[in-house]
Amino acid sequence: MGAYPAVPKLPNKERTKIPRHKIPEQEANVRNKNFQEVNLGYTIELAQAEAQRCLMCANPPCMKGCPVSVKIPFFIEKIIEGDIASAAKILKEDNALPAVCGRVCPQEEQCEVVCVIAKKFKPVAIGHLERFAADWERNNIGIQVPEIKIKTGKKVAIIGGGPAGLSAAGDLIQMGHDITVFEALHEIGGVLVYGIPEFRLPKEIVKAEVDGLAKAGVKFEKNFVVGLTSTLDEILKDYDAAFLGVGAGLPYFMNIPGEELSGVYSANEYLTRVNLMKAYDFGNNDTPIVDIKDKVVAVIGGGNTAMDAVRTSLRLGAKRGMIIYRRSESEMPARKEEIHHASEEGVEFMLLTSPTEYHGDERGWLRSMVIQKMELGEPDASGRRKPVPIPGALEEIPVDVAVVAIGNGSNPIISRTTPEIKVNKWGNILVDKVTMKTSKKGVFAGGDIVTGGATVILAMGAGRTAAKYINEYLTNPDFVWDWE
Amino acid sequence: MNKIIESRFLSPNVKLFKIEAPKIAEKRKAGQFIMLRVTDTGERIPLTIADSNSQEGWITIIAQGIGKTTKMLNLLEAGDYIHDVVGPLGKPSHIENFGTAISIGGGVGTAIAYPIAKALKDKGNYVISIAGGRSKEYVILEDELKACSDEVYPTTDDGSYGYHGFVTDKLKELIDSGRKIDFVLAIGPVPMMEAVANLTKPYGIKTVVSLNSIMIDGTGMCGGCRAIVDGKTVFVCVDGPEFDAHQVNFKVLKNRNNTYVSKEKEALHDFECHLDQAFNKLIKQEQN
């Protein structure tokens, strides 16, 4: 029995006639002044109407497009039936953090891009429906915890409480293992709490999903830096296996003159101050950020993090928020929705430009930056056309704050303290691509520390794959740990 | 939450805390630091670990009450709790038998110099400690330094105790006396460390300073602590905190450390005008 009356399952032809339902959102000119969530979420009516568009394919390509293989048509069917609790339950069989993923996954590149009706029409809004079901559960019946069958007595240490670690923890606890997550910061969530802003992912939702894991039995050790507080080897004395999901560590700078000036931030620092440390509410919280009100902010980069930083700047009162990106819009790695939202909110895009130096005043404060205009040349190793500087096309523009959002290198703490873990020349941990096992017996790894900076859902996918093989390693005596 | 076992003022605004932290005590080496948050809305600040005991499971930290966070910390006493403590962070000091080593601490910097002086002594160095302060009551840890040094020279700016003058004046006197000095460690306010670096450079004496950058996570993730050493960007939290004094760009360090001066004043003013609220918050934290 559902909480709502079922809506009819329509003939396929009828289904494709329904246009995709937009998710209600805050007005661009209102939301760019507050930190509340941009998307407001479907109502039950919108959700059921959108769910009716799904063709319920017998061999659904969307499931293959999903890095964690959520049983998409099955949960959508429950929404049609009005049984949202069951929809949420199906989601959580494959995804430990559905309310998070419904908000931050790049569905347009994963499940929705392969949706059968997307060939002729717009795809089913899978992400919006996922979010709807997860939010409904949390708001109406509280996060439900799956029953754990049998305890195996095996202990697994999860190093890093971000998306990779949390999804591994979510799966492994259900498999009956004893799980402890070790987190360096004072809050669980990793990039979900320090990086992704409140207006895109409210911290309350992360907290609720983490509480759900705790309710299922996952233990959390905060303020614990594995490698320093205890080494991995010391941890392994008390655990049967470990998963390293420590994330991308050190922010890259461009190594151009003036990056040391006050007012130049890495995106990690800028966003951590605002999100994790709540600098936007200075007075009630003690961590400051430089004054952004009526200032000019330039964000360097074209990824999701750059969009987060520039949209954060507008909300902090910036007079101008600019994206400085060296390629053109079509090469931007950010999700389409983020670029669209940013542009609606008044972000200026200075495409085909790249900073060459920053200038400061006598007290060491940023005052201006010199930007080099570029044009697109031949495709590079990434397949995207390479930006080439136009000789002499330099311009100096006044800026008060610059945020460098060009990615992260890998943190050296684990590899420095556990030399047995093999890494590549960039410091990324080397893993077996099928099982996620590392060069050290009993240790698996996944997420940004393996791939370099990527997305939340890819990290979660890696966490799930690792969980599957950690379970295999713990329960199958024939599991072979070979490594070349 | 970490419990404070013992606390006492070493000088009018410098307070020592012995904190329960068994894991950190087990691992910690001289030169490493912790990050702490006094309350759940507090900022994260780095503080060097002054001492530790792995059997008894405690560490000590020493804080000078300058801004809101350190003044609030200094309101705490034995039996109270610090909301978050994480560590040990940073690279340990590079300790070897240099020969004759001079350890210089300016004000609360003595708290950081002390464990390193101790480690230098353990390695067999002839250790000379210079502990500077504005006046007598600001000279700290003199007894502890005596226990681990061959010579100890307290100095005061106003001459109220020990040598009358700056730590650099005493250092210059020692160098000028013609004694062979193999290693100098200087920890204190940036102008002091810079003055020591300028003094020892022409003599080619290996000199190390511990940088007090602004940090958030303390594990390399944010890059806020970056400094320029030998013309290159370093992250103080994972590449340091100790660096070759003759290679450090002190001007950049000073400028970056001043980034939030106006915000810090604002927070401090607000704190001092609403001390009752701060107390209430701390009391509530105890009860939870």
Side-chain angles (χ1 to χ4, degrees):
Chain A
M1 263 303 284
Y4 302 97
V7 289
K9 283 176 193 163
L10 304 170
N12 277 359
K13 232 180 175 176
E14 297 289 312
R15 300 184 197 186
T16 58
K17 276 190 193 152
I18 311 169
R20 177 173 160 125
H21 297 82
K22 257 190 84 110
I23 194 164
E25 54 188 37
Q26 282 196 73
E27 239 0 275
N29 257 321
V30 175
R31 71 181 190 236
N32 63 10
K33 294 172 194 69
N34 68 51
F35 276 86
Q36 274 128 51
E37 206 176 358
V38 169
N39 287 334
L40 302 172
Y42 279 157
T43 56
I44 176 66
E45 291 78 15
L46 279 171
Q48 285 190 309
E50 182 64 24
Q52 279 179 307
R53 299 181 64 228
C54 178
L55 298 180
M56 306 289 159
C57 306
N59 189 7
C62 52
M63 278 181 66
K64 294 195 193 83
C66 174
V68 297
S69 312
V70 164
K71 295 183 271 296
I72 293 166
F74 297 90
F75 94 80
I76 291 181
E77 188 169 28
K78 290 294 171 194
I79 295 179
I80 292 176
E81 289 167 9
D83 182 1
I84 317 302
S86 297
K89 193 168 170 230
I90 293 171
L91 272 169
K92 285 202 294 194
E93 285 168 11
D94 301 295
N95 186 341
L97 311 169
V100 170
C101 287
R103 287 169 166 81
V104 302
C105 265
Q107 289 95 6
E108 73 268 19
E109 298 167 13
Q110 292 171 342
C111 51
E112 294 183 13
V113 71
V114 291
C115 176
V116 171
I117 60 169
K119 285 177 192 147
K120 276 187 148 177
F121 308 96
K122 287 199 168 158
V124 175
I126 300 167
H128 297 338
L129 291 172
E130 176 179 33
R131 170 193 162 133
F132 169 78
D135 284 358
W136 185 91
E137 182 196 60
R138 189 180 67 253
N139 294 332
N140 291 279
I141 53 173
I143 291 186
Q144 302 294 300
V145 175
E147 204 184 320
I148 293 156
K149 322 159 254 185
I150 305 156
K151 286 277 180 193
T152 62
K154 301 283 186 188
K155 291 172 77 183
V156 184
I158 306 284
I159 320 301
L166 293 179
S167 75
D171 275 8
L172 287 164
I173 196 87
Q174 286 190 43
M175 293 166 183
H177 306 300
D178 185 2
I179 307 299
T180 306
V181 176
F182 294 89
E183 166 58 46
L185 287 168
H186 56 261
E187 241 172 76
I188 302 293
V191 73
L192 306 175
V193 293
Y194 74 73
I196 300 177
E198 186 75 16
F199 58 83
R200 208 147 72 74
L201 176 64
K203 300 301 154 259
E204 209 183 301
I205 286 163
V206 181
K207 194 176 176 303
E209 298 212 322
V210 170
D211 287 348
L213 290 176
K215 214 165 118 188
V218 175
K219 292 181 280 256
F220 292 97
E221 280 262 11
K222 296 187 273 193
N223 294 316
F224 197 115
V225 187
V226 173
L228 296 172
T229 309
S230 292
T231 62
L232 183 57
D233 285 315
E234 288 162 334
I235 301 255
L236 285 171
K237 282 181 201 154
D238 298 322
Y239 290 85
D240 301 292
F243 173 74
L244 300 171
V246 297
L250 309 170
Y252 284 133
F253 286 89
M254 292 173 70
N255 296 316
I256 58 175
E259 278 180 326
E260 74 285 358
L261 293 165
S262 293
V264 181
Y265 284 104
S266 74
N268 281 4
E269 180 182 2
Y270 191 72
L271 292 171
T272 301
R273 282 182 181 274
V274 178
N275 298 329
L276 178 70
M277 305 309 296
K278 301 189 174 65
Y280 66 87
D281 189 19
F282 186 68
N284 290 317
N285 292 272
D286 298 341
T287 305
I289 189 154
V290 301
D291 275 321
I292 305 292
K293 191 148 178 47
D294 298 327
K295 298 288 170 64
V296 178
V297 181
V299 176
I300 294 93
N304 288 322
T305 309
M307 298 305 139
D308 286 345
V310 75
R311 296 172 69 197
T312 295
S313 304
L314 293 180
R315 284 161 175 79
L316 292 169
K319 171 167 77 181
R320 284 179 78 187
M322 297 178 278
I323 285 283
I324 310 280
Y325 181 56
R326 62 194 181 128
R327 306 182 198 242
S328 69
E329 185 174 334
S330 55
E331 286 88 20
M332 272 196 184
R335 286 175 71 197
K336 293 280 164 293
E337 187 186 20
E338 307 309 325
I339 299 172
H340 175 70
H341 276 153
S343 138
E344 273 184 348
E345 289 168 13
V347 169
E348 297 167 51
F349 289 83
M350 303 188 65
L351 303 170
L352 291 161
T353 57
S354 180
T356 57
E357 58 187 307
Y358 300 99
H359 295 162
D361 62 18
E362 67 293 341
R363 285 163 43 254
W365 279 86
L366 176 67
R367 286 294 168 252
S368 68
M369 68 195 283
V370 177
I371 51 172
Q372 163 77 59
K373 301 217 168 101
M374 318 289 270
E375 59 190 355
L376 290 180
E378 296 298 309
D380 63 10
S382 73
R384 296 177 299 177
R385 291 178 65 192
K386 195 183 155 129
V388 184
I390 303 170
L394 293 163
E395 190 190 345
E396 181 167 354
I397 54 171
V399 287
D400 301 293
V401 172
V403 181
V404 183
I406 57 168
N408 290 284
S410 37
N411 195 300
I413 292 174
I414 292 278
S415 52
R416 208 185 261 169
T417 51
T418 318
E420 273 174 84
I421 303 269
K422 292 216 170 83
V423 296
N424 68 14
K425 63 176 169 176
W426 297 285
N428 297 119
I429 294 176
L430 295 171
V431 296
D432 173 273
K433 286 197 178 69
V434 176
T435 61
M436 316 301 284
K437 68 186 177 194
T438 69
S439 53
K440 186 175 170 67
K441 190 158 189 267
V443 180
F444 297 72
D448 281 3
I449 189 61
V450 169
T451 56
T455 60
V456 167
I457 191 68
L458 282 176
M460 292 186 64
R464 291 206 73 201
T465 306
K468 180 176 159 196
Y469 287 99
I470 289 171
N471 184 54
E472 183 81 10
Y473 168 72
L474 293 175
T475 54
N476 178 358
D478 297 330
F479 190 93
V480 186
W481 205 283
D482 50 348
W483 184 267
E484 294 138 46
Chain B
M1 296 232 274
N2 296 59
K3 190 178 183 180
I4 298 169
I5 307 166
E6 189 189 312
S7 75
R8 63 190 151 94
F9 277 99
L10 301 179
S11 79
N13 62 349
V14 173
K15 198 168 183 180
L16 175 144
F17 297 92
K18 190 188 270 192
I19 304 167
E20 254 179 31
K23 289 261 179 218
I24 303 174
E26 212 175 286
K27 267 278 145 12
R28 163 267 167 177
K29 292 200 174 87
Q32 289 187 297
F33 64 94
I34 55 154
M35 301 287 308
L36 65 77
R37 240 173 27 133
V38 179
T39 68
D40 65 351
T41 52
E43 59 179 342
R44 295 169 63 98
I45 59 162
L47 285 172
T48 300
I49 304 166
D51 215 339
S52 62
N53 184 318
S54 54
Q55 268 94 52
E56 294 172 19
W58 51 259
I59 58 169
T60 61
I61 53 164
I62 296 173
Q64 182 173 19
I66 302 175
K68 175 177 176 181
T69 303
T70 43
K71 288 205 179 205
M72 192 137 167
L73 176 63
N74 285 358
L75 291 177
L76 299 180
E77 284 171 359
D80 293 339
Y81 287 83
I82 298 175
H83 202 282
D84 299 282
V85 175
V86 60
L89 305 173
K91 285 184 177 166
S93 305
H94 173 74
I95 306 286
E96 58 177 275
N97 191 340
F98 298 102
T100 299
I102 301 187
S103 155
I104 307 170
V108 73
T110 303
I112 307 168
Y114 158 64
I116 306 169
K118 203 168 148 188
L120 285 166
K121 184 69 202 163
D122 290 343
K123 270 274 174 190
N125 288 279
Y126 186 88
V127 176
I128 302 172
S129 285
I130 304 176
R134 250 187 298 156
S135 56
K136 185 173 190 248
E137 61 267 36
Y138 292 97
V139 175
I140 60 169
L141 299 178
E142 198 186 341
D143 290 339
E144 285 83 350
L145 284 172
K146 275 185 181 149
C148 70
S149 313
D150 297 280
E151 299 171 34
V152 178
Y153 299 102
T155 71
T156 50
D157 302 355
D158 64 359
S160 56
Y161 185 61
Y163 179 90
H164 184 179
F166 295 129
V167 291
T168 39
D169 298 329
K170 183 67 206 175
L171 175 63
K172 188 160 184 342
E173 196 183 282
L174 288 166
I175 295 173
D176 287 345
S177 73
R179 297 173 66 166
K180 189 172 168 300
I181 295 156
D182 304 290
F183 178 78
V184 170
L185 166 83
I187 299 168
V190 180
M192 181 216 107
M193 294 195 287
E194 189 176 11
V196 170
N198 290 338
L199 178 61
T200 58
K201 197 173 179 184
Y203 298 93
I205 303 171
K206 184 180 167 63
T207 304
V208 164
V209 288
S210 179
L211 304 188
N212 53 341
S213 307
I214 297 171
M215 296 182 188
I216 306 181
D217 64 298
T219 63
M221 185 273 281
C222 85
C225 64
R226 64 194 187 276
I228 295 186
V229 177
D230 195 14
K232 291 186 211 63
T233 298
V234 295
F235 286 6
V236 172
C237 67
V238 286
D239 300 320
E242 287 172 24
F243 294 96
D244 178 349
H246 300 145
Q247 305 288 348
V248 172
N249 185 327
F250 287 103
K251 184 163 182 258
V252 165
L253 180 66
K254 251 181 285 182
N255 283 341
R256 288 191 62 82
N257 279 0
N258 283 334
T259 302
Y260 300 102
V261 166
S262 67
K263 295 277 168 190
E264 285 157 8
K265 274 192 193 140
E266 203 181 301
L268 182 60
H269 178 80
D270 188 60
F271 167 71
E272 289 180 332
C273 293
H274 301 100
L275 265 182
D276 51 331
Q277 285 176 13
F279 271 114
N280 285 339
K281 188 166 175 73
L282 290 172
I283 289 165
K284 235 180 167 174
Q285 182 163 310
E286 295 303 293
Q287 289 163 346
N288 287 337

